């Protein structure tokens, strides 16, 4: 890890801006796709429009939770509010899982219907145009949102970006089905649910990859072993540190929380021991970011186990 993002008003402003832009785009696309589905006689586009409505929910969640996570420490949250953003990431990931499951169920239902001799109404060109517009708009929105998510180191925004892309994927399935029905005949409409099922699997995989780290953080899972070893190495490199043990680590949003015992020579003053501890804290914060929270218990070497 070479660079770190500080939780500042500028960071919150960037996140709010990209999420509000996404919310406005989703409102317009949802209304447009539902109308195109109705007037273009396309069940696929109608379902795609309903899917876009779920993006609105994730936008609202990100706006609400990121604003809370940007608050500093208070009496009830002495380690800050960073985990609210982590919780938002988990919620959006779970929404993606539900979206993937619904897409799979819908696709399998349509495939079963066609195999049993059922038919799907031939859609109109308005539905085809709506699918193309949706794909382009959502891909642009995905790229914009993912860039902001990475620059602000916000997993919630990254998760929301993938929610935008899941909508683009859904529209791709609709486009294939609608185009197949218009240009190749009714029997090719089955392409829509087939592609829909494949896309749902991809969305599910992405959702799980985002949900697992969030769940680990909310459950206070320790940092990776290599990071813990690096923390110990940084501490031991400071002159006066005899040992650095009882290390406990966890993550809270942008912050890394560290607790440890530091062993120093028994004949130094309290002030000298404090200065050594401060040097260790400065070294760790320089490496892992200024929002790193460190609590060090000082022990004389004769008390070390």
């Amino acid at each position: 890890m070479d660079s770190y993002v500080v939780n500042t008003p500028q960071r919150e402003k960037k996140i709010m801006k990209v999420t509000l832009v996404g919310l406005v785009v989703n409102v317009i696309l949802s209304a447009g796709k539902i109308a195109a589905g109705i007037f273009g006689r396309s069940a696929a586009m109608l379902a795609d429009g309903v899917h876009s409505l779920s993006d609105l929910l994730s936008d609202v969640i990100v706006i609400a939770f990121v604003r809370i996570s940007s608050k500093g420490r208070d009496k009830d949250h002495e380690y800050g509010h960073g985990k609210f953003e982590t919780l938002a990431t988990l919620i959006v990931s779970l929404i993606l899982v539900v979206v993937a499951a619904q897409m799979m169920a819908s696709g399998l239902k349509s495939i079963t219907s066609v195999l049993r001799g059922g038919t799907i109404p031939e859609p109109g060109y308005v539905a085809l145009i709506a699918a193309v517009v949706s794909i382009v708009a959502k891909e642009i929105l995905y790229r914009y949102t993912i860039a902001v998510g990475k620059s602000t180191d916000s997993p919630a925004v990254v998760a929301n970006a993938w929610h935008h892309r899941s909508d683009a994927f859904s529209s791709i399935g609709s486009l294939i089905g609608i185009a197949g029905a218009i240009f190749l005949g009714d029997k090719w409409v089955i392409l829509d649910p087939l592609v829909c099922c494949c896309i749902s699997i991809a969305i599910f995989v992405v959702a799980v990859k985002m949900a697992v780290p969030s769940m680990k953080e909310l459950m206070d899972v320790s940092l990776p072993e290599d990071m813990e070893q690096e923390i110990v190495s940084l501490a031991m490199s400071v002159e006066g540190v005899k040992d650095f043990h009882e290390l406990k680590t966890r993550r809270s949003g942008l912050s890394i929380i560290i607790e440890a015992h530091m062993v120093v020579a028994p004949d130094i003053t309290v002030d000298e021991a404090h200065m050594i501890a401060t040097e260790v804290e400065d070294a760790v914060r320089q490496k892992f970011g200024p929002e790193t929270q460190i609590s060090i218990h000082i022990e004389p070497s004769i008390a070390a186990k």
Side-chain angles (χ1 to χ4, degrees):
M1 301 179 71
D2 298 320
S3 60
Y4 296 86
V5 177
V6 181
N7 204 5
T8 63
Q10 289 75 21
R11 176 180 183 270
E12 181 184 354
K13 185 177 180 180
K14 287 182 180 180
I15 292 175
M16 290 298 173
K17 179 181 177 181
V18 70
T19 308
L20 286 173
V21 169
L23 190 149
V24 172
V25 172
N26 285 326
V27 168
I28 296 173
L29 283 179
S30 297
K33 288 195 284 188
I34 290 174
I38 294 173
F39 294 107
R41 303 179 305 280
S42 172
M45 182 50 59
L46 184 60
D48 197 5
V50 174
H51 173 207
S52 293
L53 290 175
S54 68
D55 282 1
L56 295 176
L57 177 59
S58 66
D59 289 333
V60 172
I61 290 172
V62 171
I63 290 173
F65 280 72
V66 169
R67 182 170 291 275
I68 295 173
S69 71
S70 298
K71 295 180 180 179
R73 306 180 194 179
D74 58 30
K75 184 178 179 181
D76 296 324
H77 302 86
E78 295 182 352
Y79 287 102
H81 296 72
K83 287 193 176 182
F84 280 92
E85 188 168 339
T86 307
L87 180 59
T89 305
L90 180 59
I91 293 174
V92 174
S93 298
L94 293 178
I95 291 175
L96 281 173
V97 170
V98 173
V99 167
Q102 290 178 336
M103 290 175 66
M104 176 64 77
S106 176
L108 291 176
K109 182 178 179 181
S110 297
I111 291 172
T112 302
S113 175
V114 172
L115 293 178
R116 290 179 177 176
T119 58
I120 301 176
E122 182 178 335
Y125 282 97
V126 65
L128 184 67
I129 294 172
V132 173
V133 171
S134 175
I135 293 169
V136 174
K138 296 299 281 191
E139 181 63 19
I140 292 174
L141 189 57
Y142 161 77
R143 292 178 182 274
Y144 172 40
T145 307
I146 198 74
V148 173
K150 290 180 178 180
S151 68
T152 58
D153 196 18
S154 173
V157 175
V158 171
N160 206 28
W162 276 102
H163 202 170
H164 293 320
R165 177 162 271 190
S166 76
D167 199 12
F169 286 162
S170 175
S171 295
I172 289 174
S174 299
L175 176 64
I176 293 174
I178 294 169
I182 293 176
F183 300 112
L184 302 176
D186 291 345
K187 63 180 180 179
W188 289 99
V189 176
I190 197 172
L191 287 173
D192 181 6
L194 282 174
V195 173
C196 184
C197 288
C198 294
I199 291 173
S200 69
I201 295 174
I203 293 173
F204 178 80
V205 171
V206 170
V208 171
K209 285 184 177 180
M210 291 188 297
V212 171
S214 299
M215 292 179 65
K216 286 183 177 181
E217 181 176 328
L218 291 173
M219 295 175 69
D220 286 335
V221 172
S222 300
L223 297 177
E225 185 177 352
D226 60 333
M227 289 183 67
E228 290 195 335
Q229 290 177 348
E230 190 168 10
I231 292 170
V232 173
S233 297
L234 285 170
M236 292 299 297
S237 68
V238 174
E239 185 178 355
V241 178
K242 304 298 183 182
D243 191 18
F244 199 78
H245 61 281
E246 295 294 329
L247 179 65
K248 298 180 179 67
T249 63
R250 56 195 172 99
R251 184 180 289 277
S252 179
L254 291 177
S255 299
I256 292 175
I257 300 174
I258 301 170
E259 297 177 15
H261 290 197
M262 183 184 73
V263 179
V264 296
D267 56 349
I268 64 175
T269 65
V270 173
D271 186 56
E272 289 173 328
H274 175 70
M275 290 180 63
I276 294 172
T278 300
E279 286 188 45
V280 171
E281 292 173 0
D282 290 343
V284 173
R285 287 196 179 99
Q286 185 175 1
K287 177 63 180 178
F288 294 99
E291 295 200 1
T292 301
Q293 302 180 48
I294 313 172
S295 177
I296 298 177
H297 173 73
I298 300 174
E299 298 176 351
S301 57
I302 57 174
K305 296 181 180 179

